[in-house]
Amino acid sequence: MLNVLTNKLSLTLFNNDTFKAYFAPFSTKPIAVLMGEMFAATVVTMKTENNDMYSLTLAISGKVNEQVFSFQPGQYIELQVKKNGSYIKRPFTISSSLAQFQQDKTITLTIKKQFAGRVTPWLSSAIKKGEMLGVSPAKGDFVLSAASNTSSKMAPKKEVIFIAGGSGITPFHSLLLSHVANNPTINFTLLYFSRVNQHALNGSLVALELEHSNFTLKLLQSERDGYCSAAHINAVTSDLQHSEAYICGPNGMMDSTKTLLLEMGLPESALHLEQFGLASFRNMELNVVRNVSFAITNKDIVVDEDNQQTLLMLAEDNVVPAKYGCRMGICQECKCKKVSGVVYNSQTKTYSDTGEEDIQACISVPVTDVVINL
Amino acid sequence: MMATLDKKFGKKLNEQQLEQLAIDLDGVKAKAMQQVGSTDERYIKKIVRLQRTLEIAGRICLVLGFMSLYFWGVGVLLLSASKILDNMEIGHNVLHGQYDWMNDPTLNSQTFEWDNACSSESWKRVHNYEHHTYTNIVGKDRDFGYGLLRLSDDFSWRLRNSWQFVTYLVLSTLFQWGIAFHEMAGERVFFGKKKEGRGSHVDVEQLKKVFYSKSTRQILKDYVIFPLLAGPFFVMVLLGNLAANLLRNFWTSTIIFCGHFPTEVYTFTEKECEDESRGHWYYRQILGSANLTGPKWFHILTGHLSCQVEHHLFPEVPAHRYVEMSKEVQVIAAKYGIAYNTGSFFSQYASVVQRVIYFSFPVGKVTGKKAALYPRF
């Protein structure tokens, strides 16, 4: 109530929704932290894991909208960084344990460098110890399900199989560090597929296996062992019908593993999948069938490969309410938020970034699957 | 696309030249946009900090006016400088989306609101859309078509044009209210017939609602709440706010008139601009605008609308880059023999006055030497 009143006063006196917004230019805090949308996170360490992965440890402080930060292992956060004057948000999985957070209020993100990306290759060298970033509340449902998490000592042992591919290891690292010790009635198995010598975080995984008899680690090399096969599964469980399986990795690997497990008798309800990160994008991937999701109108449409219509035209053809003006990229009336995906700017002949940003619908053509706030 | 005639040089720009012109100017824009980054972020943040500081200092000085009238005078100047920065270098440019790439919600064209009776939403529709798309097309750009003043021979003379210099001074005095009322007047919300074919998709009720809520807030702020906060010095603060608003009104109005109505600025007809190419659009922007020369502080206080030509060519490029870009634009304009209108503040303002007065007389079609002064495309 008081909040509403002060905001009304701020709007009347300073034409800003909040007093905070009016004084924002004086602050060095990240804007989302200042506006109370994100938690403040201070960089503690930056550590190289292997050629293309690094870990970023952040101390989280402050409150966002009166909430205290918390997470469930397996969840991700959105990180807001400032690059060349521009705030960028990217989702990253938390790879550290709950215990680590309870101890010193830090979380670790293990990040893969997307070499064509705008953020991940740059971040590791650009960020300095002590710098403040914005962190969103934890999101996602790739967490240990209630079905597997029965603490009753009388219940029979449960089998939980984690299948990771490449950088898809990150949520499992957090899940295992947090749950193995506290759930002695669960047998955890991790099948971790990666290129030879590219298994990230394996030091702590090996140590965990040595310490706990209810955890089995299988480091597999994709060059030698290929994708996940029936033999790999049969080697770790004989009771797939009563197991829970979690998969995270490249799309192709996730699809084939999912099909395999269902064929082998795993109930669909016991299968958990995590699509992670933003797909990397190359200009060659043009002329494909694309999905355009208008998030506010709740309308999904499929765009043919040879369809080069702008987002404004697609919106209008599908009765999605969209503001427009000049229809030639001048007036910005059609400006709207792209939540994800790549669009082609037909006027500047450039491709957009993959993440969240403002675009002009009247000159933007979707190139990949896109989500638009219209 | 018809071939177009450049009066000053007597040369025609054919379709091919217009296409090349578009490529050249796109190049200037692309080069500038490549450099856009933390320099621009630091710049706009610095200006916003300056504006906030001026505003707060100005409001304090106004209250201190009870000690000495000098304080009051300084307060008025500081507060009007703050309002000018807020409206021009910050508001106008942010509302063009020049800083949207920063993803900073406090400086985003979709959410920004300024210290002006005109709501941002209405401004974006009338200014960003109509004025910038249809620059100087008589009948489509309300600058030339809004009927208060006769500024070209496209309209026949009426008795009320005789005293239009006085009308112009009144408009300048009440400028923010003229702007706020602009869209509603165009839509004939309160009186008269709605003009057909405006292509407007704004609900009239919505227009009224926004107009009343924004203007009420502005009046409350400067003439009720801030004076009340000053307690016994109510009247002093009220008068100070009024003076600051008036100064801002005169300044913005003068700069805007200097950017659009000096002599030698071209007007166009709808027919001439049907199915216009991108090159022709660029061509029209150069011919339809005028620049002002001056020192850096002057450019900043005009919101870089002193570089009206560059602003009309590249409305989404951060405006503080226009001075630098204008050098390249002038080279390109010279290459194609396109008249580039620029001059000092005083000479441009004198020619604005000349135009307002000239068309207040019942002159008909402008011919001969005068036609070069008030060129029609």
Side-chain angles (χ1 to χ4, degrees), chain B residues 357-375:
Chain B
I357 292 174
Y358 182 78
F359 286 105
S360 67
F361 291 102
V363 286
K365 271 273 162 279
V366 181
T367 51
K369 267 189 185 166
K370 288 283 182 197
L373 274 186
Y374 307 108

Side-chain angles (χ1 to χ4, degrees), chain B residues 245-258:
Chain B
N245 277 332
L246 287 177
L247 277 182
R248 183 268 322 268
N249 283 358
F250 281 127
W251 177 255
T252 48
S253 157
T254 306
I255 294 301
I256 287 163
F257 269 66
C258 283

